[in-house]
Amino acid sequence: MPQVQTARGPVDTAELGVTLMHEHIFLVDAEIQQNHPQEWGSEADRIADAVGKLNEVASLGVGTIVDPTVIGLGRYIPRIEKLAQQVDLNIVVATGLYTYDEVPFHFHHRGPALNAVLGTEVPDPMVDMFVGDIRDGIAGTSVKAGMLKCAIDHQGMTPGVERVMRAVALAHKETGAPITVHTHPGSQQGLAVQKVLQEEGVDPRRVVLGHSGDSTDADHLSELAEAGFLLGMDRFGINLETTFEARADIVVEMCRRGYAESMVLSQDASCYFDWIQQDLMALLPDWKYTHIHERVLPYLLENGVTQDQVDTMLIVNPRRCFEGA
Ligand SMILES: [Zn+2]
């Protein structure tokens, strides 16, 4: 029976149930948090708040969330390990690195950065970090990573972004863990991802192109679906530069075109997100774990998406992503 690693240990893929493929719990700048902890406040209060919110979405029938919070986004697995014991939900954690441009300074004089100096091909230490998180566990906790994550944004395939993506691809090939990529569909970065992952021999059926739902370009999304990728329609509730209807209607249109098997649904929500002045979060009242069940699914079903297609996007596709095709 194929299994997925979660914050409470391995789970059979058949037991994942309704799966939100891209939700965070805590997104913090860890160095700011450690040195200016006023806003973060009490660790116990933060955990209690998260436990409440996660149990609320579990009560709606969600069985699993994937938390792609990696290096660069404040990953701290001891905290996740602790709260996972208090929630009735599988939490899949990720390994990888989040940058839109350069690798962190830690990597500037390691691995391939030394190729020219040493006159030989130096393996990237990132690969061993990622593989270790998946095979052996993370930082002395009982938790192993179940997914790999990297990012590309409007800056495109910078040397740093490419280095991380190739390291993620190598770790994927060594472990079989699926990959999720933060993308910027407005500048069609999925095509740049396709090129690099193809060169590395990665099967696109094991790759989620995150934030595809930020786009309303059905032709572009169809091209990526045809290439085999899973499209992350995963920012429901972030209606700043777009609308509720625009996010939902592109899912309706892609289902109409026959691509329900190429989409996963999520919200990219979190319990604490420190990239924004906290009182401004009130501008995004729908940006929460329960929004899909409260508003999106009813809208999809009213507009021609079938329950079968909903189940495909929420249950079948996530399971297939973890199992391999
Ligand atoms: Zn995210």
Side-chain angles (χ1 to χ4, degrees):
M1 189 63 96
Q3 292 188 317
V4 183
Q5 294 295 333
T6 78
R8 286 183 308 205
V11 170
D12 288 346
T13 52
E15 305 298 321
L16 293 173
V18 170
T19 302
L20 302 176
M21 287 291 277
H22 192 130
E23 307 292 346
H24 300 275
I25 300 176
F26 304 114
L27 281 164
V28 298
D29 183 314
E31 202 176 0
I32 301 256
Q33 180 198 34
Q34 284 163 12
N35 289 283
H36 301 278
Q38 297 85 348
E39 186 184 279
W40 170 260
S42 146
E43 177 85 8
D45 288 351
R46 288 287 171 200
I47 289 179
D49 176 64
V51 166
K53 287 171 178 163
L54 292 165
N55 277 329
E56 187 187 3
V57 70
S59 75
L60 296 177
V62 172
T64 304
I65 65 164
V66 179
D67 176 359
T69 305
V70 293
I71 302 295
L73 292 171
R75 188 182 79 167
Y76 185 60
I77 295 303
R79 185 178 294 128
I80 303 300
E81 183 183 39
K82 194 169 169 184
L83 72 82
Q85 300 302 327
Q86 303 171 57
V87 297
D88 190 18
L89 194 68
N90 303 312
I91 301 169
V92 178
V93 311
T95 185
L97 201 150
Y98 185 88
T99 179
Y100 299 165
D101 39 57
E102 288 197 52
V103 294
F105 284 117
H106 178 87
F107 296 101
H108 277 213
H109 305 291
R110 299 173 197 257
L114 300 177
N115 285 355
V117 184
L118 300 179
T120 178
E121 290 264 318
V122 186
D124 200 325
M126 267 183 230
V127 180
D128 284 343
M129 284 180 166
F130 302 159
V131 169
D133 280 355
I134 293 165
R135 282 212 184 128
D136 309 325
I138 299 171
T141 67
S142 65
V143 182
K144 295 177 180 176
M147 192 132 195
L148 285 148
K149 160 93 175 265
C150 57
I152 183 169
D153 207 89
H154 64 87
Q155 295 88 337
M157 194 63 73
T158 68
V161 162
E162 182 173 350
R163 180 174 163 186
V164 175
M165 200 169 291
R166 290 192 190 278
V168 160
L170 290 175
H172 160 77
K173 285 194 293 183
E174 220 171 308
T175 62
I179 300 172
T180 190
V181 188
H182 163 109
T183 69
H184 184 261
S187 52
Q188 304 204 338
Q189 298 299 341
L191 299 174
V193 174
Q194 182 183 23
K195 183 170 177 290
V196 167
L197 293 187
Q198 207 164 40
E199 284 170 11
E200 297 291 345
V202 175
D203 178 354
R205 289 172 296 184
R206 308 299 309 289
V207 180
V208 180
L209 295 179
H211 314 326
S212 292
D214 289 357
S215 172
T216 54
D217 183 344
D219 289 341
H220 174 56
L221 296 182
S222 299
E223 182 185 3
L224 297 172
E226 283 298 325
F229 290 104
L230 274 168
L231 307 176
M233 314 306 272
D234 54 17
R235 278 179 159 173
F236 283 104
I238 310 181
N239 301 326
L240 276 180
E241 290 160 23
T242 183
T243 62
F244 170 86
E245 287 77 14
R247 287 195 183 281
D249 287 343
I250 186 66
V251 174
V252 172
E253 171 60 12
M254 293 298 285
C255 282
R256 193 191 65 77
R257 291 184 179 209
Y259 293 117
E261 285 176 11
S262 302
M263 291 186 284
V264 291
L265 308 180
S266 212
Q267 295 146 134
D268 205 5
S270 53
C271 299
Y272 177 71
F273 176 49
D274 81 345
W275 294 16
I276 184 172
Q277 191 179 304
Q278 292 300 294
D279 55 1
L280 293 181
M281 290 294 279
L283 296 174
L284 294 166
D286 284 333
W287 197 20
K288 55 186 180 180
Y289 299 140
T290 54
H291 175 57
I292 284 180
H293 282 76
E294 286 168 356
R295 284 195 62 202
V296 179
L297 298 183
Y299 181 95
L300 295 180
L301 293 168
E302 276 166 28
N303 286 278
V305 175
T306 66
Q307 184 61 48
D308 203 43
Q309 289 173 318
V310 167
D311 293 344
T312 296
M313 294 185 282
L314 286 176
I315 302 170
V316 179
N317 296 345
R319 178 180 173 180
R320 205 184 64 219
C321 179
F322 283 108
E323 287 180 353

